[in-house]
């Protein structure tokens, strides 16, 4: 294992964005100290390390902080390039395509899921619209998986890669949304490729130790919804 005391990750266990660098570090076999933030408080270290956005995750490598989950994942891939596997594709076109879909997940797909999970979609009509947008996005990602994986187990091919990390970090929350809504979001009938991929992803050695418990996540979601309703 590499890293040792030189690598620290400031994060919170429920955050899918914090999961991303944790999986990347695990893939590369890098040892790190996980510095847990206590929601909703923000530590002095977090505020000092990320004064612009004031949010997790923050990777601190040799006392230098780095923010934003996917930027951190790319940094990990480059710094520990000698440790296999490579997280981003080596082909420039493939690399650009993976970045495109990762941006789609964060900018277009995730807001619909967040609106449901945080209780921001307050009316039944708004909830239905958010759910439809989220499932429509998964259909697009099903097509992206077929093209990117080229018949292999993951978006990244034979092993977990950049796009796997970008989408897979939300799988725990998808299960929570299924519990809350009583609706199957990721199923074998509508998205068979993603359904199989999700099972493989969650069973991967780099993932299973950091994937949060669904029941614990569901309790946290209730806390979030309470805060939204109060505000």
């Amino acid at each position: 294992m590499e890293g040792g005391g030189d690598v620290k990750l400031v994060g919170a266990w429920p955050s899918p964005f914090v999961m991303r660098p944790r999986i990347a570090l695990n893939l590369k076999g890098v040892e790190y100290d996980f510095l847990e933030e206590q929601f909703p408080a923000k530590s002095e270290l977090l505020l000092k390390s990320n004064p612009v956005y004031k949010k997790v995750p923050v990777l601190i490598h040799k006392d230098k902080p780095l923010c934003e989950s996917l930027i951190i994942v790319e940094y990990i891939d480059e710094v520990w390039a000698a440790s296999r596997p490579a997280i981003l594709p080596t082909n420039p076109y493939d690399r650009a395509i993976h970045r495109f879909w990762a941006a789609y997940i964060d900018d277009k797909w995730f807001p619909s899921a967040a609106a449901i999970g945080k209780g921001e979609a307050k009316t039944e009509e708004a909830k239905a619209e958010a759910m439809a947008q989220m499932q429509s996005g998964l259909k697009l990602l099903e097509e992206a998986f077929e093209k990117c994986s080229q018949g292999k187990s993951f978006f990244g091919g034979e092993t977990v890669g950049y796009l796997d990390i970008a989408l897979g970090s939300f799988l725990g929350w998808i299960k929570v949304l299924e519990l809350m809504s009583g609706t199957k979001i990721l199923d074998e009938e509508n998205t068979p490729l993603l359904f199989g991929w999700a099972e493989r992803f969650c069973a991967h050695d780099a993932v299973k130790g950091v994937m949060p418990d669904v029941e614990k996540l569901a309790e946290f979601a209730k806390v979030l919804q309470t805060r939204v309703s109060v505000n």
Side-chain angles (χ1 to χ4, degrees), residues 6 22 30 49 60 67 70 82 88 91 113 128 161 191 194 215:
D6 286 341
R22 297 188 78 184
V30 179
S49 302
I60 302 175
C67 310
L70 291 176
L88 275 160
N91 179 277
T191 50
L194 285 182
E215 290 186 5

Side-chain angles (χ1 to χ4, degrees), residues 13-16 19 22 169 171-173 175-176 207-217:
W13 69 267
S15 170
M19 269 194 68
R22 297 188 78 184
S169 60
L171 287 174
W173 281 103
K175 292 178 182 178
V176 170
V207 176
K208 58 187 179 183
V210 297
M211 181 66 71
D213 178 76
V214 175
E215 290 186 5
K216 190 177 177 183
L217 266 185

Side-chain angles (χ1 to χ4, degrees), residues 7-12 17-23 25 32-37 45 56-61 66 72 76:
V7 183
K8 300 178 177 65
L9 183 67
V10 183
F17 301 102
V18 172
M19 269 194 68
R20 291 171 171 178
R22 297 188 78 184
I23 295 169
L25 290 166
Y32 65 97
D33 296 323
F34 185 52
L35 308 180
E36 182 89 26
E37 290 288 304
L45 177 61
V56 293
V58 177
L59 181 76
I60 302 175
H61 183 211
L66 189 66
I72 295 172
I76 291 167

Side-chain angles (χ1 to χ4, degrees), residues 184-230:
K184 200 68 177 172
I185 296 170
L186 198 60
D187 61 44
E188 200 165 6
E189 181 179 350
N190 294 315
T191 50
L193 297 179
L194 285 182
F195 182 83
W197 160 82
E199 291 189 338
R200 293 189 294 273
F201 179 83
C202 291
H204 195 282
D205 287 341
V207 176
K208 58 187 179 183
V210 297
M211 181 66 71
D213 178 76
V214 175
E215 290 186 5
K216 190 177 177 183
L217 266 185
E219 289 299 317
F220 182 76
K222 292 177 183 177
V223 174
L224 286 182
Q225 289 185 338
T226 300
R227 289 177 61 85
V228 169
S229 63
V230 169

